[in-house]
């Protein structure tokens, strides 16, 4: 089974996707980290055609053999990844790698274009959204920052770029289940998502 989780930055995608993957025993793939790793490689002066990106079974991201997993969530790569994500050559490579990883296996994949482009036949598609102010507060807490304003600015800029880019813009697939998480606790969203997956898989209360 393929589960696609999409939505803007800090909408709760990673927490929900991880919880679903744990609950159902599926592979979890955070595609944002792939774009971040490419941005990191390009910022180091490595040309795109010499970038080798691998995702290990343990969920580590290797850039030309080096484990960069824990270096990817920085403000510079927030910006850099959303810039490289507008490039057609980058997206084509990422999408084919993502499809390869999902082939013949159960996966929860999260990103921006999973339900629309990467896995259009996913059995379950969930689109998470939340007000920008709420997302900025969450991000500030995650990164132990007090000042919300610059984070909010950055999120708005990134949202705009993600939603208006020519290739694979961020928007819900027509058959996605949309959850607004602004006023919901994370556990509530996770329980709703698990219930939705079970309903879609048509197996009631038994695990998928
Ligand atoms: O999800 P995350 O915020 O880590 O993603 C970083 C950036 O990568 C996003 O702002 C977006 O521009 C890009 N991205 C994308 N398509 C995906 C995942 C991420 O364009 N499937």
């Amino acid at each position: 089974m393929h589960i696609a989780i999409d939505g803007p930055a800090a909408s709760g995608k990673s927490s929900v996707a991880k919880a679903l993957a744990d609950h159902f025993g599926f592979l979890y793939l955070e595609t944002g980290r792939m774009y971040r790793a490419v941005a990191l490689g390009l910022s180091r002066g490595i040309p795109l055609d010499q970038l080798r990106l691998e995702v290990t079974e343990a969920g580590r991201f290797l850039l030309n053999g080096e484990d960069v997993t824990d270096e990817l969530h920085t403000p510079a790569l927030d910006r850099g990844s959303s810039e490289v994500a507008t490039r057609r050559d980058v997206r084509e490579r990422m999408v084919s790698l993502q499809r390869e990883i999902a082939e013949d296996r159960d996966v929860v994949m999260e990103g921006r274009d999973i339900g629309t482009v990467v896995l259009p036949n996913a059995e379950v598609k969930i689109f998470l959204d939340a007000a920008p102010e709420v997302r900025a507060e969450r991000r500030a807490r995650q990164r132990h920052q007090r000042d919300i304003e610059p984070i909010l600015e950055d999120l708005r800029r990134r949202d705009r770029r993600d939603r208006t880019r020519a290739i694979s813009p961020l928007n819900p697939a027509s058959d996605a289940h949309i959850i607004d998480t602004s006023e919901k606790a994370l556990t509530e969203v996770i329980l709703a998502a698990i219930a939705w997956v079970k309903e879609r898989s048509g197996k009631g209360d038994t695990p998928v």
Side-chain angles (χ1 to χ4, degrees), residues 32-204:
R33 265 190 225 248
M34 298 172 69
Y35 289 92
R36 289 169 182 274
V38 169
L40 178 63
L42 296 177
S43 78
R44 289 178 176 174
I46 309 171
L48 183 64
D49 60 3
Q50 286 172 31
L51 279 182
R52 203 165 25 84
L53 182 61
E54 292 161 80
V55 186
T56 70
E57 283 296 312
R60 308 299 294 179
F61 292 75
L62 307 185
L63 180 62
N64 291 4
E66 182 194 342
D67 187 337
V68 295
T69 317
D70 300 324
E71 296 169 42
L72 301 175
H73 275 279
T74 63
L77 291 177
D78 288 347
R79 267 190 303 281
S81 57
S82 92
E83 281 164 16
V84 301
T86 62
R87 286 175 53 170
R88 184 178 297 281
D89 51 357
V90 170
R91 298 208 73 84
E92 281 174 356
R93 280 192 52 183
M94 295 302 104
V95 170
S96 70
L97 187 53
Q98 288 151 13
R99 287 185 181 147
E100 214 174 280
I101 292 171
E103 206 177 318
D104 297 326
R105 68 192 301 176
D106 294 323
V107 65
V108 181
M109 200 180 287
E110 62 133 309
R112 303 290 189 292
D113 59 341
I114 312 305
T116 48
V117 175
V118 182
L119 304 174
N121 298 322
E123 290 85 346
V124 178
K125 298 181 186 179
I126 296 175
F127 189 92
L128 296 177
D129 211 346
E133 294 76 11
V134 175
R135 293 189 281 121
E137 266 176 41
R138 289 180 187 158
R139 191 44 49 96
R141 263 202 310 275
Q142 256 169 13
R143 293 194 175 164
H144 308 290
Q145 280 169 279
R146 287 244 179 100
D147 197 0
I148 307 267
E149 272 313 308
I151 298 181
L152 182 57
E153 266 293 292
D154 200 57
L155 275 185
R156 285 193 200 279
R157 198 174 314 119
R158 205 139 69 91
D159 278 0
R160 205 174 312 123
R161 197 181 288 132
D162 287 348
R163 287 184 206 271
T164 59
R165 68 179 171 224
I167 320 159
S168 309
L170 169 70
N171 58 49
S174 56
D175 51 350
H177 180 57
I178 300 177
I179 306 179
D180 188 326
T181 69
S182 304
E183 293 181 5
K184 290 190 172 70
L186 181 59
T187 42
E188 199 183 331
V189 179
I190 291 172
L191 290 176
I194 291 175
W196 180 247
V197 173
K198 287 180 175 167
E199 192 178 317
R200 294 289 298 166
S201 68
K203 292 193 179 166

